[in-house]
Structure formats: structure tokens, C-alpha cells
Amino acid sequence: MDTIKLNLEDIRNRIAQAAEKSGRKAEDITLVGVTKTIDPQRIQQLVDLGVTNLGENKVQEICEKHPVITGNPSWHMIGHLQTNKVRQVIDKVTMIHSVDSLRLAQEIEKRAEMMGLVVPVLLEVNMGGEETKSGVSENETYALAKSVAEMPHVCLKGLMTVAPFVENQEKNRNLFRKMRNLFIDIRGKFDHNSSITFLSMGMTNDYEVAIEEGANIVRIGTGLFGARYYG
Ligand SMILES: *Cc1c(COP(=O)(O)O)cnc(C)c1O
């Protein structure tokens, strides 16, 4: 009974503890509830429990769920975004976490200008260097940030990473620390009007260590809803 509510309470407590360890408060950390493959009824339950930021990794799912979930949640695009789908999604999301190429950034800029929008984005960094994951390398981040910072209809808000899957979250601590250092570096170089504020890292298996190392957005799905079934 009410599994989502119990899971959420547990996660909120752990977020608060991890925030405290890094000298911050629970309110400094944004929980994005990852709702990919989850049916609208359970998503609505989560929103009604007060989780107002939702993450999806497919444009089609955002477009389907966006009109049916009430309570005006903020939608985050967290998965790989194809350039030919940019125009369908930029007016529905609060932020795109997964900008991983100049070509994609340019397409967002072009479409945002046509639609009269400024789209907040994070650059996705493949800090683990895994071949199967998207994201720019640590070395490419500076160049991409420089290009995006000059785009009038794209607002660079920070960095995001998807760390390798690990059983023991301590194994990702060093990677999160490297992300934090890169974030500080990029912020120092490009942030002339303090818009670079978000470091999105940490998922069900490693969000506590991610927060301890400086994350202020965590993206959690399995921890809230249980294991996903891809039908
Ligand atoms: C699925 C997904 C998550 C959530 O993963 P869980 O392990 O279920 O918490 C976070 N970020 C991205 C980019 C995802 O695709």
C-alpha cells in the first residue's frame, strides 16, 4: 500500500542527510522524479505527493503525458535528444539535461528563435568515458560551453552526467568530484550573469554520494517506483 509515498519519504530523508553532509539544506537539492515507462496514474500519484519536477528520456512520452498530468509539473528532458524531435519538445520542458553536441545545440537555438523561446539547457558530460553512453568528453566540454554561451535562445544552466551503474556508490565518488570541479571551472569561465547553477548527477544507486560531492539536481526513478518493465 502506498509504496510511492513510503519510497518518497525515505528518499527525502536521505537527500536531507546527504545535503547536510555537504553543508547544504534539503531545499537546495531538486528531486527530479524519473517517470519513463511509468503510467500516468502513478505519475499523478507522485505529483500529488509534491514532486513537481518530472524527468523523461523520450520525446514521445513527454508529448503523451504532458497534457494528461495535472498540477502543472515541470518536465525535464533527460535522455538523448535527436535533432529532428527538438521542435516537438522545447515548448513543453523546463530544461533539457542532455545537450551533447554542437549540432543539437544549434538546432535548439534555431527552433527556439522561431518559437520565441529561450531554452534552459545542461551539457551532458560522459565523465566515465563509457562507449555506450552519450555526452561530450571532459575535454570537449569547454568548447561546447563556449558555443552555447553565445546562443541568444539557449541558456546554459550547468552540467549533467550519467555515472556508470555501480552496486557500491562509493565507486562513483571520484567521478562526481571530477564533475564538480569541471562545473566550477566552466562556471568561472562563462558565467557572466550567474545563470550556471545546476549540477545534475546521481540516480537511485548513487544519489547520496552525488549530493555529498555537490549535485543539486538528482534524477530518481527506480527508487520511487520500483524496477521498470519495458513492455
Ligand atoms: C532512467 C534514468 C534515470 C533514473 O534512473 P534510476 O536508476 O531508475 O533512478 C536518471 N537519469 C537518466 C538520464 C535516466 O535515463
Side-chain angles (χ1 to χ4, degrees):
M1 294 287 280
D2 249 352
T3 319
I4 298 175
K5 186 170 183 218
L6 292 172
N7 288 344
L8 179 61
E9 276 169 18
D10 179 54
I11 289 166
R12 290 243 187 256
N13 286 334
R14 287 167 187 262
I15 287 175
Q17 280 168 20
E20 199 172 314
K21 274 195 196 174
S22 64
R24 292 173 297 162
K25 299 197 182 86
E27 308 89 84
D28 299 328
I29 316 295
T30 298
L31 167 63
V32 171
V34 177
T35 51
K36 61 190 185 198
T37 78
I38 305 297
D39 56 90
Q41 215 177 338
R42 285 198 292 163
I43 299 174
Q44 192 63 59
Q45 232 182 309
L46 188 69
V47 173
D48 294 345
L49 288 165
V51 176
T52 53
N53 289 280
L54 305 177
E56 287 281 347
N57 68 342
K58 291 207 171 79
V59 169
Q60 194 188 332
E61 276 190 71
I62 294 181
C63 292
E64 283 169 10
K65 293 166 179 175
H66 182 267
V68 299
I69 303 297
T70 62
N72 200 24
S74 299
W75 296 86
H76 297 249
M77 176 61 189
I78 63 173
H80 182 66
L81 178 56
Q82 289 169 268
T83 50
N84 63 354
K85 300 202 170 145
V86 165
R87 97 191 130 79
Q88 294 175 54
V89 83
I90 52 172
D91 60 341
K92 298 178 183 69
V93 294
T94 297
M95 193 151 69
I96 298 172
H97 291 225
S98 45
V99 171
D100 60 357
S101 71
L102 181 57
R103 204 168 81 90
L104 174 59
Q106 285 168 335
E107 179 67 12
I108 297 170
E109 167 61 27
K110 182 176 128 190
R111 296 292 173 178
E113 182 178 15
M114 289 168 71
M115 295 164 80
L117 300 169
V118 176
V119 180
V121 305
L122 306 179
L123 306 185
E124 180 173 355
V125 183
N126 183 0
M127 188 55 93
E130 291 174 283
E131 273 178 33
T132 53
K133 293 228 167 96
S134 39
V136 290
S137 70
E138 182 178 6
N139 293 334
E140 295 163 331
T141 308
Y142 176 85
L144 184 56
K146 189 168 188 294
S147 301
V148 172
E150 287 164 4
M151 296 179 181
H153 302 90
V154 181
C155 184
L156 180 59
K157 300 292 282 182
L159 302 180
M160 175 272 220
T161 197
V162 179
F165 179 86
V166 289
E167 299 280 347
N168 174 2
Q169 58 176 330
E170 285 300 330
K171 288 199 173 149
N172 279 336
R173 186 180 291 278
N174 193 44
L175 183 149
F176 290 140
R177 197 167 290 172
K178 277 168 47 183
M179 278 298 297
R180 159 103 177 146
N181 289 336
L182 182 61
F183 172 73
I184 290 170
D185 189 34
I186 296 285
R187 190 174 58 187
K189 287 194 169 99
F190 298 110
D191 203 7
H192 309 304
N193 38 22
S194 317
S195 64
I196 301 182
T197 49
F198 294 121
L199 183 54
S200 169
M201 59 185 192
M203 303 166 35
T204 296
N205 275 338
D206 55 18
Y207 67 93
E208 290 158 283
V209 164
I211 292 168
E212 285 170 29
E213 295 301 330
N216 53 17
I217 299 181
V218 292
R219 311 174 310 266
I220 299 178
T222 309
L224 289 165
F225 296 108
R228 282 179 292 274
Y229 298 99
Y230 296 94

PDB file of all heavy atoms in Angstrom, residues 34 36 57 78 160 162 203-204 219-222 228, ligand 1:
ATOM      1  N   VAL A  34      11.929  10.434 -12.037  1.00  0.00           N
ATOM      2  CA  VAL A  34      12.056   9.922 -13.409  1.00  0.00           C
ATOM      3  C   VAL A  34      10.892   8.972 -13.705  1.00  0.00           C
ATOM      4  O   VAL A  34      10.739   7.937 -13.059  1.00  0.00           O
ATOM      5  CB  VAL A  34      13.421   9.243 -13.624  1.00  0.00           C
ATOM      6  CG1 VAL A  34      13.511   8.657 -15.021  1.00  0.00           C
ATOM      7  CG2 VAL A  34      14.538  10.270 -13.420  1.00  0.00           C
ATOM      8  N   LYS A  36       9.901   7.702 -16.859  1.00  0.00           N
ATOM      9  CA  LYS A  36       9.906   6.941 -18.123  1.00  0.00           C
ATOM     10  C   LYS A  36       9.302   5.555 -17.900  1.00  0.00           C
ATOM     11  O   LYS A  36       9.579   4.923 -16.871  1.00  0.00           O
ATOM     12  CB  LYS A  36      11.342   6.836 -18.664  1.00  0.00           C
ATOM     13  CG  LYS A  36      12.317   6.127 -17.752  1.00  0.00           C
ATOM     14  CD  LYS A  36      13.755   6.277 -18.249  1.00  0.00           C
ATOM     15  CE  LYS A  36      14.697   5.462 -17.387  1.00  0.00           C
ATOM     16  NZ  LYS A  36      16.106   5.876 -17.528  1.00  0.00           N
ATOM     17  N   ASN A  57      12.908  10.406 -20.814  1.00  0.00           N
ATOM     18  CA  ASN A  57      14.021  10.281 -21.758  1.00  0.00           C
ATOM     19  C   ASN A  57      13.571  10.129 -23.212  1.00  0.00           C
ATOM     20  O   ASN A  57      14.412   9.965 -24.087  1.00  0.00           O
ATOM     21  CB  ASN A  57      14.958   9.147 -21.349  1.00  0.00           C
ATOM     22  CG  ASN A  57      14.331   7.783 -21.490  1.00  0.00           C
ATOM     23  OD1 ASN A  57      13.106   7.672 -21.577  1.00  0.00           O
ATOM     24  ND2 ASN A  57      15.143   6.753 -21.526  1.00  0.00           N
ATOM     25  N   ILE A  78      15.683  14.305 -20.139  1.00  0.00           N
ATOM     26  CA  ILE A  78      16.963  13.826 -19.587  1.00  0.00           C
ATOM     27  C   ILE A  78      17.652  12.807 -20.493  1.00  0.00           C
ATOM     28  O   ILE A  78      18.774  12.403 -20.223  1.00  0.00           O
ATOM     29  CB  ILE A  78      16.775  13.231 -18.168  1.00  0.00           C
ATOM     30  CG1 ILE A  78      15.855  12.003 -18.193  1.00  0.00           C
ATOM     31  CG2 ILE A  78      16.246  14.291 -17.206  1.00  0.00           C
ATOM     32  CD1 ILE A  78      15.764  11.285 -16.845  1.00  0.00           C
ATOM     33  N   MET A 160      25.438  18.013 -16.618  1.00  0.00           N
ATOM     34  CA  MET A 160      24.768  16.785 -16.201  1.00  0.00           C
ATOM     35  C   MET A 160      25.652  15.595 -16.546  1.00  0.00           C
ATOM     36  O   MET A 160      26.429  15.651 -17.507  1.00  0.00           O
ATOM     37  CB  MET A 160      23.438  16.694 -16.955  1.00  0.00           C
ATOM     38  CG  MET A 160      22.639  15.431 -16.748  1.00  0.00           C
ATOM     39  SD  MET A 160      23.064  14.081 -17.897  1.00  0.00           S
ATOM     40  CE  MET A 160      21.440  13.420 -18.237  1.00  0.00           C
ATOM     41  N   VAL A 162      25.558  11.008 -16.467  1.00  0.00           N
ATOM     42  CA  VAL A 162      25.016   9.707 -16.080  1.00  0.00           C
ATOM     43  C   VAL A 162      26.228   8.851 -15.730  1.00  0.00           C
ATOM     44  O   VAL A 162      27.009   8.478 -16.603  1.00  0.00           O
ATOM     45  CB  VAL A 162      24.222   9.049 -17.228  1.00  0.00           C
ATOM     46  CG1 VAL A 162      23.689   7.686 -16.806  1.00  0.00           C
ATOM     47  CG2 VAL A 162      23.078   9.954 -17.675  1.00  0.00           C
ATOM     48  N   MET A 203      21.596   9.071  -9.380  1.00  0.00           N
ATOM     49  CA  MET A 203      20.378   8.317  -9.687  1.00  0.00           C
ATOM     50  C   MET A 203      20.103   7.389  -8.490  1.00  0.00           C
ATOM     51  O   MET A 203      20.735   7.517  -7.457  1.00  0.00           O
ATOM     52  CB  MET A 203      20.576   7.536 -10.992  1.00  0.00           C
ATOM     53  CG  MET A 203      20.945   8.491 -12.113  1.00  0.00           C
ATOM     54  SD  MET A 203      21.600   7.840 -13.681  1.00  0.00           S
ATOM     55  CE  MET A 203      20.782   6.325 -13.956  1.00  0.00           C
ATOM     56  N   THR A 204      19.161   6.485  -8.638  1.00  0.00           N
ATOM     57  CA  THR A 204      18.774   5.652  -7.495  1.00  0.00           C
ATOM     58  C   THR A 204      19.970   5.043  -6.758  1.00  0.00           C
ATOM     59  O   THR A 204      20.011   5.053  -5.530  1.00  0.00           O
ATOM     60  CB  THR A 204      17.831   4.528  -7.975  1.00  0.00           C
ATOM     61  OG1 THR A 204      16.641   5.134  -8.476  1.00  0.00           O
ATOM     62  CG2 THR A 204      17.477   3.585  -6.829  1.00  0.00           C
ATOM     63  N   ARG A 219      18.244  12.667 -10.176  1.00  0.00           N
ATOM     64  CA  ARG A 219      17.195  12.104 -11.043  1.00  0.00           C
ATOM     65  C   ARG A 219      16.927  10.672 -10.606  1.00  0.00           C
ATOM     66  O   ARG A 219      17.764   9.795 -10.771  1.00  0.00           O
ATOM     67  CB  ARG A 219      17.659  12.139 -12.503  1.00  0.00           C
ATOM     68  CG  ARG A 219      18.226  13.506 -12.962  1.00  0.00           C
ATOM     69  CD  ARG A 219      18.796  13.412 -14.372  1.00  0.00           C
ATOM     70  NE  ARG A 219      19.699  12.297 -14.535  1.00  0.00           N
ATOM     71  CZ  ARG A 219      21.027  12.374 -14.399  1.00  0.00           C
ATOM     72  NH1 ARG A 219      21.623  13.521 -14.126  1.00  0.00           N
ATOM     73  NH2 ARG A 219      21.779  11.285 -14.543  1.00  0.00           N
ATOM     74  N   ILE A 220      15.749  10.463 -10.013  1.00  0.00           N
ATOM     75  CA  ILE A 220      15.482   9.166  -9.381  1.00  0.00           C
ATOM     76  C   ILE A 220      14.192   8.539  -9.916  1.00  0.00           C
ATOM     77  O   ILE A 220      13.128   9.153  -9.881  1.00  0.00           O
ATOM     78  CB  ILE A 220      15.398   9.329  -7.848  1.00  0.00           C
ATOM     79  CG1 ILE A 220      16.754   9.862  -7.329  1.00  0.00           C
ATOM     80  CG2 ILE A 220      15.034   8.011  -7.174  1.00  0.00           C
ATOM     81  CD1 ILE A 220      16.800  10.106  -5.841  1.00  0.00           C
ATOM     82  N   GLY A 221      14.313   7.338 -10.438  1.00  0.00           N
ATOM     83  CA  GLY A 221      13.153   6.611 -10.946  1.00  0.00           C
ATOM     84  C   GLY A 221      12.883   5.348 -10.150  1.00  0.00           C
ATOM     85  O   GLY A 221      11.880   5.238  -9.424  1.00  0.00           O
ATOM     86  N   THR A 222      13.790   4.376 -10.256  1.00  0.00           N
ATOM     87  CA  THR A 222      13.619   3.075  -9.602  1.00  0.00           C
ATOM     88  C   THR A 222      13.366   3.207  -8.096  1.00  0.00           C
ATOM     89  O   THR A 222      12.532   2.482  -7.538  1.00  0.00           O
ATOM     90  CB  THR A 222      14.878   2.210  -9.839  1.00  0.00           C
ATOM     91  OG1 THR A 222      15.153   2.206 -11.242  1.00  0.00           O
ATOM     92  CG2 THR A 222      14.669   0.793  -9.366  1.00  0.00           C
ATOM     93  N   ARG A 228      11.685  -0.885 -13.414  1.00  0.00           N
ATOM     94  CA  ARG A 228      10.875  -0.616 -14.607  1.00  0.00           C
ATOM     95  C   ARG A 228      10.717  -1.861 -15.444  1.00  0.00           C
ATOM     96  O   ARG A 228      11.613  -2.684 -15.529  1.00  0.00           O
ATOM     97  CB  ARG A 228      11.541   0.441 -15.473  1.00  0.00           C
ATOM     98  CG  ARG A 228      11.373   1.848 -15.006  1.00  0.00           C
ATOM     99  CD  ARG A 228      12.097   2.811 -15.942  1.00  0.00           C
ATOM    100  NE  ARG A 228      13.526   2.645 -15.866  1.00  0.00           N
ATOM    101  CZ  ARG A 228      14.313   3.251 -14.983  1.00  0.00           C
ATOM    102  NH1 ARG A 228      13.810   4.091 -14.127  1.00  0.00           N
ATOM    103  NH2 ARG A 228      15.604   3.031 -14.964  1.00  0.00           N
TER     104      ARG A 228
HETATM  105  C1  LIG B   1      16.410   6.317 -16.180  1.00  0.00           C
HETATM  106  C2  LIG B   1      17.257   7.488 -15.895  1.00  0.00           C
HETATM  107  C3  LIG B   1      17.460   7.953 -14.574  1.00  0.00           C
HETATM  108  C4  LIG B   1      16.858   7.268 -13.368  1.00  0.00           C
HETATM  109  O1  LIG B   1      17.492   6.046 -13.106  1.00  0.00           O
HETATM  110  P1  LIG B   1      17.102   5.174 -11.831  1.00  0.00           P
HETATM  111  O2  LIG B   1      18.280   4.282 -11.644  1.00  0.00           O
HETATM  112  O3  LIG B   1      15.870   4.432 -12.186  1.00  0.00           O
HETATM  113  O4  LIG B   1      16.894   6.082 -10.701  1.00  0.00           O
HETATM  114  C5  LIG B   1      18.238   9.083 -14.392  1.00  0.00           C
HETATM  115  N1  LIG B   1      18.804   9.720 -15.434  1.00  0.00           N
HETATM  116  C6  LIG B   1      18.646   9.312 -16.698  1.00  0.00           C
HETATM  117  C7  LIG B   1      19.299  10.080 -17.791  1.00  0.00           C
HETATM  118  C8  LIG B   1      17.864   8.189 -16.969  1.00  0.00           C
HETATM  119  O5  LIG B   1      17.715   7.792 -18.246  1.00  0.00           O
END
